[in-house]
Amino acid sequence: MPKSNLRQLVKEENQLNAALANVKDFVDNFDAVRDSDMVELRLVKLDEIFDRFCIIRVNIDVLLDETSEEFESAADDDGVDSAKNALVCGDSVQTYKNFENSYFRLKAALLAKRPRTKVEIPERQAACQPSRLKYPELKLPSFCGKLQDWITFRDNFKSLIHDNGDLSPIDKFNYLRASLRDEALLQINQVQVSAATYNIAWNILEAKYENHKLIAHEHLKALFSVPVMKSESFDALNTVLMTFKVNLQQLEKLGENTENWSTILAFMLTQKLDTATLRQWETHHSSNNIP
């Protein structure tokens, strides 16, 4: 291919970089009142820029592979010498990576600036700034202040809401309030709902409930408080087993190695069985070894 074609490709790539910079200026200087209507148009334009860049970059790479000597002689031509270092050898890969990374960052920023649908919110949130987003099509985790429920709530809420980069802090705050009940909600009731105070509210909850010693005590208490089965029953036996299973899982999340508790757990569990079920257990486990 003649060097004029290389010059044309380089100039077009420069134009695409300029267009990308223009989108970045739009994001950096975004004004919700003035610019909201243009977000969708910018998203379409951004995709067009990236698609065209991919085509241009491939053509440049092919041309450089086929005409490396010709490129060297064209290095002093207008439009080529300024881009030479970005085009040769391994620099081409880095050029593509830089452009792609910029594209993804800008697209994420534009998506976050899309106008969002206002929805009705619970009456108890009426005094707060309403969320601009519809709640996810799933049930939010709920927490009323029981220590033994904190770990499960924390992990679920962080996965769905807290670590969700597509949600703004004000939306996260409203989701948090919608998830809390009773004592847990009272902990943050005095915190004004705003983007700047979401982390304050979350830190208050963590300071109150992220107490591994007390949480472990609650789970151990639940194990020791399992009621004794009054009669042989599948439902009663299942309740005993599930209570043991759930609380042991939570203790393991706290770092307790419950695998070494077999002797005491087997003893505790047999103390909760009714006479008929205990007899069947002893018949089943007739060995002298610890179960």
Side-chain angles (χ1 to χ4, degrees):
M1 295 178 70
K3 60 186 178 183
S4 60
N5 287 355
L6 177 61
R7 183 185 300 110
Q8 180 179 345
L9 290 172
V10 170
K11 286 185 176 181
E12 187 167 353
E13 186 178 64
N14 289 340
Q15 290 175 349
L16 293 172
N17 278 294
L20 193 72
N22 191 34
V23 176
K24 184 177 185 302
D25 289 340
F26 174 82
V27 170
D28 292 342
N29 301 302
F30 181 80
D31 181 279
V33 176
R34 180 192 64 200
D35 301 328
S36 290
D37 293 341
M38 292 187 285
V39 171
E40 293 298 329
L41 295 175
R42 293 283 182 174
L43 282 167
V44 173
K45 182 63 176 178
L46 183 62
D47 287 340
E48 292 176 353
I49 292 171
F50 183 69
D51 290 343
R52 184 58 185 164
F53 173 84
C54 292
I55 296 173
I56 295 297
R57 174 49 43 184
V58 169
N59 288 336
I60 289 176
D61 288 343
V62 171
L63 182 59
L64 289 177
D65 287 341
E66 295 178 350
T67 60
S68 57
E69 293 182 0
E70 188 175 351
F71 171 75
E72 290 296 331
S73 65
D76 295 329
D77 291 339
D78 293 340
V80 176
D81 53 343
S82 62
K84 176 181 177 181
N85 290 333
L87 297 177
V88 295
C89 303
D91 288 344
S92 179
V93 175
Q94 189 60 47
T95 298
Y96 177 81
K97 286 183 178 179
N98 292 342
F99 197 96
E100 183 182 56
N101 289 336
S102 297
Y103 162 75
F104 283 127
R105 282 194 295 267
L106 290 173
K107 186 159 187 176
L110 286 173
L111 288 172
K113 297 182 185 304
R114 271 178 166 171
R116 295 168 180 175
T117 306
K118 292 184 179 180
V119 296
E120 294 295 326
I121 57 176
E123 182 178 352
R124 68 181 178 82
Q125 292 187 32
C128 307
Q129 182 174 345
S131 172
R132 295 166 294 160
L133 287 175
K134 291 183 178 180
Y135 285 175
E137 295 299 325
L138 46 82
K139 185 177 180 180
L140 287 172
S142 179
F143 181 62
C144 67
K146 292 183 178 179
L147 275 172
Q148 60 267 39
D149 297 333
W150 167 251
I151 298 295
T152 299
F153 168 77
R154 180 201 66 190
D155 292 348
N156 287 337
F157 189 85
K158 290 183 74 172
S159 175
L160 294 172
I161 306 299
H162 186 76
D163 295 333
N164 189 336
D166 293 332
L167 294 175
S168 68
I170 188 67
D171 291 317
K172 292 179 182 181
F173 204 150
N174 281 311
Y175 283 127
L176 180 61
R177 288 183 60 85
S179 299
L180 300 178
R181 303 284 185 275
D182 305 331
E183 179 194 334
L185 181 60
L186 291 176
Q187 300 299 320
I188 64 168
N189 254 353
Q190 301 305 314
V191 180
Q192 182 180 0
V193 178
S194 71
T197 56
Y198 167 70
N199 283 330
I200 294 176
W202 182 255
N203 290 338
I204 289 174
L205 293 175
E206 286 195 324
K208 172 69 175 179
Y209 299 109
E210 194 76 16
N211 187 322
H212 288 191
K213 180 177 72 173
L214 293 181
I215 293 174
H217 286 176
E218 289 299 317
H219 289 299
L220 288 171
K221 187 189 302 181
L223 288 174
F224 281 97
S225 302
V226 176
V228 177
M229 294 171 56
K230 296 180 179 180
S231 61
E232 187 178 11
S233 163
F234 170 80
D235 290 338
L237 180 59
N238 188 56
T239 298
V240 172
L241 294 176
M242 290 306 297
T243 301
F244 269 74
K245 180 178 180 180
V246 169
N247 285 283
L248 288 172
Q249 286 177 341
Q250 296 303 313
L251 286 166
E252 288 171 359
K253 284 187 176 182
L254 294 174
E256 296 291 339
N257 185 8
T258 60
E259 291 182 358
N260 296 329
W261 296 6
S262 294
T263 302
I264 188 171
L265 288 175
F267 174 78
M268 290 172 59
L269 187 56
T270 57
Q271 300 306 299
K272 306 301 179 180
L273 302 180
D274 65 280
T275 304
T277 306
L278 180 58
R279 185 183 303 113
Q280 292 182 54
W281 164 251
E282 295 294 352
T283 301
H284 169 75
H285 193 275
S286 57
S287 168
N288 290 328
N289 296 324
I290 296 175

